[in-house]
Amino acid sequence: MNDDRPVLLETRGTCMHLTLNRPRALNALSHTMVRLLDEALARAEQDEAIDSVLLSGAGDRGLCAGGDIRALHDDARASGRASLEFWRDEYRLNARIARFPKPYIALMDGIVMGGGVGVSAHAGIRVVTERSRVAMPETAIGFVPDVGGTRLLAAAPGELGTHLALTGRSVGAADALLCGLADHHVPARLLPALTEALGEPADPDASAAGIVQGFATEATTGELAAQRDWIDACYAADTAEDIVWRLRGSGVPAAQAAADELLTKSPLALKVTLAAVRRAARLDSLEAVLDQEFRVSSRAFEHPDFVEGVRARIIDKDNAPQWKPGSLAEVDDQEVARFFAPLGPGEQELGLAPGPTDTATTDTPTREGQAG
């Protein structure tokens, strides 16, 4: 008999194993799943018998394809507020994962996108496989990277994070490691043995990090390292328009293809995403970034590009969204700034950071998770 609980919890030795269990939906996160994960981590944090937590996804297609986009779309069309409460709890869960005091190991096998990145890439120990495809693809649906993704991408070498944030492209294991989105590559066929070893280690004194390292192998060569020259040169521009101009004028076919790709995305989402990544690089904590992302998500949820993007890409699948405005040149700078402004009367800030969200430092953003 199949277990239809959306999150499975099993304790193996001293390891709490959490499994996202919606394989037919690529383990897309629901509000219930977010709450169950948060409750499980709160329990594990206090339980002295639990030394580590392991996160994986049911099925063989991926850890998690993100949030339930159709539910968010329907809520937006109905002018609802349920999505905002979902994000409020989801972003708090992201922060809890990053600050979790015990080793938290995320198996980022298969598809890991959007909200799936949020529950895995803030972990202390992040494992990718040869099947991994990691992405923050929000600009394609008129949305903006969230779940702390703007901080993760801002911390990537050079302008790699800007490239991934704007294009929404997915990366494999080697590029995920290069961009700081993962720590170890383990062949997918070894994941069952790794899971068993974390629950019942042969050496009772072995650390979770040491156990994972024992299974790790070299990832096959990625693509981004060889593209750093044009990516860093083009995406260092101050505006989205200048980025496209540099890509088109680079003389590099891959750069010109990236320019063509950018022009299929929501112009407003592109400009807000660029601003969000640049601002995230100056904020001094993940909590401050999540506060900023909550403001941005709240505004993006209200904008017609989100509903239109989901319709075109996911529901009707005609891949012909009618963005408003329709070009980068038509996007007003004041409209972009509005996404970052404090929420208005009757709206509640996320409020994770102790000070104002706009307080920034020049510190380089780093991952908060414990390596165990």
Side-chain angles (χ1 to χ4, degrees):
M1 181 177 179
N2 293 330
D3 193 330
D4 60 0
R5 290 175 298 167
V7 176
L8 305 181
L9 190 158
E10 179 184 3
T11 299
R12 303 180 181 182
T14 60
C15 180
M16 177 184 283
H17 186 182
L18 302 172
T19 304
L20 305 180
N21 189 37
R22 294 182 67 200
R24 290 185 179 179
L26 267 171
N27 301 316
L29 291 176
S30 66
H31 202 162
T32 297
M33 294 168 74
V34 166
R35 288 171 173 153
L36 289 171
L37 289 171
D38 193 69
E39 290 168 5
L41 291 182
R43 195 180 324 142
E45 188 170 340
Q46 298 300 319
D47 190 342
E48 294 182 359
I50 299 297
D51 290 338
S52 62
V53 172
L54 175 67
L55 179 74
S56 65
D60 58 5
R61 296 169 62 201
L63 171 66
C64 175
D68 190 332
I69 297 297
R70 286 178 178 265
L72 297 172
H73 166 272
D74 293 346
D75 190 37
R77 285 195 65 186
S79 300
R81 306 292 292 177
S83 298
L84 302 185
E85 295 311 308
F86 165 71
W87 287 321
R88 190 182 301 279
D89 287 342
E90 183 184 26
Y91 298 175
R92 290 183 180 277
L93 172 64
N94 301 147
R96 180 188 286 278
I97 290 169
R99 303 297 185 192
F100 196 67
K102 299 177 181 180
Y104 177 108
I105 307 101
L107 302 184
M108 302 170 69
D109 184 34
I111 293 174
V112 185
M113 295 184 178
V117 172
V119 296
S120 60
H122 298 298
I125 304 172
R126 306 164 300 174
V127 176
V128 285
T129 74
E130 73 280 3
R131 304 188 299 198
S132 295
R133 300 304 303 177
V134 184
M136 296 298 294
E138 287 78 7
T139 56
I141 57 169
F143 204 67
V144 179
D146 63 340
V147 298
T150 58
R151 181 173 174 83
L152 292 165
L153 294 172
E159 296 294 334
L160 293 180
T162 309
H163 171 59
L164 296 181
L166 296 182
T167 62
R169 288 184 181 177
S170 64
V171 296
D175 288 331
L177 292 164
L178 172 64
C179 292
L181 300 172
D183 305 301
H184 305 283
H185 170 264
V186 173
R189 62 182 173 79
L190 297 182
L191 293 183
L194 171 59
T195 298
E196 182 177 350
L198 287 166
E200 298 179 4
D203 178 0
D205 295 323
S207 68
I211 292 171
V212 173
Q213 184 62 56
F215 284 84
T217 65
E218 283 289 322
T220 56
T221 303
E223 300 175 359
L224 293 180
Q227 299 175 346
R228 278 289 302 276
D229 286 349
W230 67 261
I231 288 176
D232 288 353
C234 295
Y235 286 93
D238 290 335
T239 68
E241 292 96 326
D242 284 345
I243 288 172
V244 172
W245 183 82
R246 289 188 185 188
L247 289 168
R248 286 217 182 282
S250 68
V252 179
Q256 293 170 341
D260 292 340
E261 189 174 356
L262 290 181
L263 294 178
T264 69
K265 315 295 185 183
S266 159
L268 179 61
L270 284 180
K271 287 204 169 186
V272 175
T273 295
L274 180 60
V277 172
R278 299 275 165 84
R279 286 170 176 249
R282 299 192 299 271
L283 292 170
D284 61 4
S285 69
L286 173 62
E287 286 79 4
V289 171
L290 289 166
D291 283 347
Q292 172 176 280
E293 290 179 347
F294 186 74
R295 291 178 178 178
V296 170
S297 295
S298 298
R299 297 293 176 247
F301 180 69
E302 299 168 351
H303 196 276
D305 272 9
F306 174 57
V307 168
E308 173 63 6
V310 177
R311 179 207 65 76
R313 307 293 192 193
I314 295 173
I315 297 177
D316 295 342
K317 297 183 180 178
D318 59 23
N319 290 315
Q322 299 300 307
W323 304 122
K324 297 180 180 178
S327 70
L328 290 170
E330 295 175 87
V331 178
D332 185 86
D333 288 344
Q334 291 184 340
E335 175 66 5
V336 174
R338 190 181 74 85
F339 278 69
F340 300 91
L343 298 179
E347 300 177 303
Q348 184 183 355
E349 298 278 358
L350 184 61
L352 285 177
T357 298
D358 292 332
T359 299
T361 73
T362 56
D363 293 344
T364 300
T366 56
R367 181 166 49 94
E368 278 76 17
Q370 299 284 327

CSV table of all heavy atoms in Angstrom, one decimal, residues 228-253:
chain,number,residue,atom,x,y,z
A,228,ARG,N,33.2,31.8,-18.6
A,228,ARG,CA,33.4,32.9,-17.7
A,228,ARG,C,33.7,34.2,-18.3
A,228,ARG,O,33.3,35.2,-17.9
A,228,ARG,CB,34.5,32.5,-16.6
A,228,ARG,CG,34.0,31.6,-15.5
A,228,ARG,CD,33.1,32.4,-14.5
A,228,ARG,NE,33.6,33.5,-13.9
A,228,ARG,CZ,34.4,33.5,-12.8
A,228,ARG,NH1,34.7,32.4,-12.3
A,228,ARG,NH2,34.9,34.7,-12.4
A,229,ASP,N,34.6,34.2,-19.4
A,229,ASP,CA,35.0,35.4,-20.0
A,229,ASP,C,33.9,36.3,-20.4
A,229,ASP,O,33.7,37.4,-20.1
A,229,ASP,CB,36.0,35.2,-21.1
A,229,ASP,CG,37.4,34.7,-20.6
A,229,ASP,OD1,37.6,34.8,-19.4
A,229,ASP,OD2,38.2,34.3,-21.4
A,230,TRP,N,33.0,35.7,-21.3
A,230,TRP,CA,31.9,36.5,-21.8
A,230,TRP,C,30.8,36.7,-20.8
A,230,TRP,O,30.2,37.8,-20.8
A,230,TRP,CB,31.4,35.9,-23.1
A,230,TRP,CG,30.7,34.6,-23.0
A,230,TRP,CD1,31.2,33.4,-23.3
A,230,TRP,CD2,29.3,34.4,-22.7
A,230,TRP,NE1,30.2,32.4,-23.2
A,230,TRP,CE2,29.0,33.0,-22.8
A,230,TRP,CE3,28.2,35.2,-22.3
A,230,TRP,CZ2,27.8,32.4,-22.6
A,230,TRP,CZ3,27.0,34.6,-22.1
A,230,TRP,CH2,26.8,33.2,-22.2
A,231,ILE,N,30.6,35.8,-19.9
A,231,ILE,CA,29.6,35.9,-18.9
A,231,ILE,C,30.0,37.1,-17.9
A,231,ILE,O,29.2,38.0,-17.7
A,231,ILE,CB,29.4,34.6,-18.1
A,231,ILE,CG1,28.6,33.6,-18.9
A,231,ILE,CG2,28.6,34.9,-16.8
A,231,ILE,CD1,28.4,32.3,-18.3
A,232,ASP,N,31.2,37.1,-17.5
A,232,ASP,CA,31.6,38.1,-16.5
A,232,ASP,C,31.6,39.5,-17.2
A,232,ASP,O,31.2,40.5,-16.6
A,232,ASP,CB,33.0,37.8,-16.0
A,232,ASP,CG,33.0,36.7,-15.0
A,232,ASP,OD1,31.9,36.2,-14.6
A,232,ASP,OD2,34.1,36.2,-14.5
A,233,ALA,N,32.1,39.6,-18.4
A,233,ALA,CA,32.1,40.8,-19.1
A,233,ALA,C,30.8,41.4,-19.5
A,233,ALA,O,30.5,42.6,-19.3
A,233,ALA,CB,32.9,40.7,-20.4
A,234,CYS,N,29.9,40.6,-19.9
A,234,CYS,CA,28.5,41.0,-20.3
A,234,CYS,C,27.6,41.3,-19.2
A,234,CYS,O,26.9,42.4,-19.1
A,234,CYS,CB,27.9,40.0,-21.3
A,234,CYS,SG,28.8,39.8,-22.8
A,235,TYR,N,27.6,40.5,-18.2
A,235,TYR,CA,26.6,40.6,-17.1
A,235,TYR,C,27.1,41.6,-16.0
A,235,TYR,O,26.4,41.9,-15.0
A,235,TYR,CB,26.3,39.3,-16.4
A,235,TYR,CG,25.4,38.4,-17.3
A,235,TYR,CD1,26.0,37.5,-18.2
A,235,TYR,CD2,24.1,38.5,-17.2
A,235,TYR,CE1,25.2,36.7,-19.0
A,235,TYR,CE2,23.2,37.7,-18.0
A,235,TYR,CZ,23.8,36.8,-18.9
A,235,TYR,OH,23.0,36.0,-19.7
A,236,ALA,N,28.3,42.2,-16.2
A,236,ALA,CA,28.8,43.2,-15.2
A,236,ALA,C,28.1,44.6,-15.5
A,236,ALA,O,28.3,45.5,-14.8
A,236,ALA,CB,30.3,43.3,-15.3
A,237,ALA,N,27.4,44.7,-16.6
A,237,ALA,CA,26.7,45.9,-17.0
A,237,ALA,C,25.7,46.3,-15.9
A,237,ALA,O,25.2,45.5,-15.2
A,237,ALA,CB,26.1,45.8,-18.4
A,238,ASP,N,25.5,47.6,-15.9
A,238,ASP,CA,24.6,48.2,-14.8
A,238,ASP,C,23.1,47.9,-15.1
A,238,ASP,O,22.4,47.9,-14.1
A,238,ASP,CB,24.9,49.7,-14.7
A,238,ASP,CG,26.2,50.0,-14.1
A,238,ASP,OD1,26.8,49.1,-13.4
A,238,ASP,OD2,26.7,51.1,-14.4
A,239,THR,N,22.7,47.8,-16.3
A,239,THR,CA,21.3,47.6,-16.6
A,239,THR,C,21.0,46.4,-17.4
A,239,THR,O,21.9,45.9,-18.1
A,239,THR,CB,20.7,48.9,-17.3
A,239,THR,OG1,21.3,48.9,-18.7
A,239,THR,CG2,21.1,50.2,-16.6
A,240,ALA,N,19.8,46.0,-17.4
A,240,ALA,CA,19.4,44.8,-18.2
A,240,ALA,C,19.6,45.1,-19.7
A,240,ALA,O,20.0,44.2,-20.5
A,240,ALA,CB,18.0,44.4,-17.9
A,241,GLU,N,19.2,46.3,-20.1
A,241,GLU,CA,19.4,46.7,-21.5
A,241,GLU,C,20.9,46.6,-21.9
A,241,GLU,O,21.2,46.1,-23.0
A,241,GLU,CB,18.9,48.2,-21.8
A,241,GLU,CG,17.4,48.3,-21.6
A,241,GLU,CD,17.0,48.8,-20.3
A,241,GLU,OE1,17.7,48.4,-19.3
A,241,GLU,OE2,16.1,49.6,-20.2
A,242,ASP,N,21.8,47.1,-21.1
A,242,ASP,CA,23.2,47.1,-21.4
A,242,ASP,C,23.7,45.6,-21.4
A,242,ASP,O,24.6,45.3,-22.2
A,242,ASP,CB,24.0,47.9,-20.4
A,242,ASP,CG,23.9,49.4,-20.7
A,242,ASP,OD1,23.4,49.8,-21.8
A,242,ASP,OD2,24.2,50.2,-19.8
A,243,ILE,N,23.2,44.8,-20.5
A,243,ILE,CA,23.6,43.4,-20.6
A,243,ILE,C,23.2,42.8,-21.9
A,243,ILE,O,24.1,42.1,-22.5
A,243,ILE,CB,22.9,42.6,-19.4
A,243,ILE,CG1,23.5,43.0,-18.1
A,243,ILE,CG2,23.0,41.1,-19.6
A,243,ILE,CD1,22.8,42.4,-16.9
A,244,VAL,N,22.0,43.0,-22.4
A,244,VAL,CA,21.6,42.4,-23.7
A,244,VAL,C,22.5,43.0,-24.8
A,244,VAL,O,22.9,42.3,-25.7
A,244,VAL,CB,20.1,42.7,-23.9
A,244,VAL,CG1,19.7,42.4,-25.4
A,244,VAL,CG2,19.2,42.0,-22.9
A,245,TRP,N,22.8,44.3,-24.7
A,245,TRP,CA,23.6,45.0,-25.7
A,245,TRP,C,25.0,44.3,-25.8
A,245,TRP,O,25.5,44.0,-26.9
A,245,TRP,CB,23.7,46.5,-25.4
A,245,TRP,CG,24.5,47.2,-26.5
A,245,TRP,CD1,24.0,47.7,-27.7
A,245,TRP,CD2,25.8,47.6,-26.4
A,245,TRP,NE1,25.0,48.4,-28.3
A,245,TRP,CE2,26.2,48.3,-27.5
A,245,TRP,CE3,26.8,47.5,-25.4
A,245,TRP,CZ2,27.4,48.9,-27.7
A,245,TRP,CZ3,28.1,48.0,-25.6
A,245,TRP,CH2,28.4,48.7,-26.8
A,246,ARG,N,25.6,44.1,-24.6
A,246,ARG,CA,26.9,43.5,-24.5
A,246,ARG,C,26.9,42.0,-25.1
A,246,ARG,O,27.8,41.6,-25.8
A,246,ARG,CB,27.4,43.5,-23.1
A,246,ARG,CG,27.8,44.9,-22.6
A,246,ARG,CD,28.5,44.8,-21.3
A,246,ARG,NE,28.8,46.1,-20.7
A,246,ARG,CZ,29.5,46.3,-19.6
A,246,ARG,NH1,30.1,45.3,-19.0
A,246,ARG,NH2,29.7,47.5,-19.1
A,247,LEU,N,25.8,41.3,-24.7
A,247,LEU,CA,25.7,39.9,-25.2
A,247,LEU,C,25.6,39.9,-26.7
A,247,LEU,O,26.3,39.1,-27.3
A,247,LEU,CB,24.5,39.3,-24.6
A,247,LEU,CG,24.5,38.9,-23.1
A,247,LEU,CD1,23.2,38.6,-22.5
A,247,LEU,CD2,25.5,37.8,-22.8
A,248,ARG,N,24.8,40.8,-27.3
A,248,ARG,CA,24.7,40.8,-28.7
A,248,ARG,C,25.9,41.2,-29.4
A,248,ARG,O,26.2,40.7,-30.5
A,248,ARG,CB,23.5,41.8,-29.1
A,248,ARG,CG,22.1,41.2,-28.8
A,248,ARG,CD,21.2,41.7,-29.9
A,248,ARG,NE,19.8,41.3,-29.6
A,248,ARG,CZ,19.4,40.0,-29.8
A,248,ARG,NH1,20.2,39.1,-30.2
A,248,ARG,NH2,18.1,39.7,-29.5
A,249,GLY,N,26.7,42.1,-28.8
A,249,GLY,CA,27.9,42.6,-29.5
A,249,GLY,C,29.2,41.9,-29.2
A,249,GLY,O,30.2,42.2,-29.6
A,250,SER,N,29.1,40.8,-28.4
A,250,SER,CA,30.2,40.0,-28.0
A,250,SER,C,30.9,39.2,-29.1
A,250,SER,O,32.1,38.9,-29.0
A,250,SER,CB,29.9,39.1,-26.8
A,250,SER,OG,29.0,38.1,-27.3
A,251,GLY,N,30.1,38.9,-30.1
A,251,GLY,CA,30.7,38.0,-31.1
A,251,GLY,C,30.7,36.6,-30.7
A,251,GLY,O,31.2,35.7,-31.5
A,252,VAL,N,30.2,36.2,-29.6
A,252,VAL,CA,30.2,34.9,-29.1
A,252,VAL,C,28.8,34.3,-29.3
A,252,VAL,O,27.9,34.8,-28.8
A,252,VAL,CB,30.6,34.8,-27.6
A,252,VAL,CG1,30.6,33.3,-27.1
A,252,VAL,CG2,32.0,35.4,-27.3
A,253,PRO,N,28.7,33.2,-30.1
A,253,PRO,CA,27.4,32.6,-30.4
A,253,PRO,C,26.6,32.3,-29.1
A,253,PRO,O,25.4,32.5,-29.0
A,253,PRO,CB,27.7,31.4,-31.2
A,253,PRO,CG,29.0,31.7,-31.9
A,253,PRO,CD,29.8,32.5,-30.9
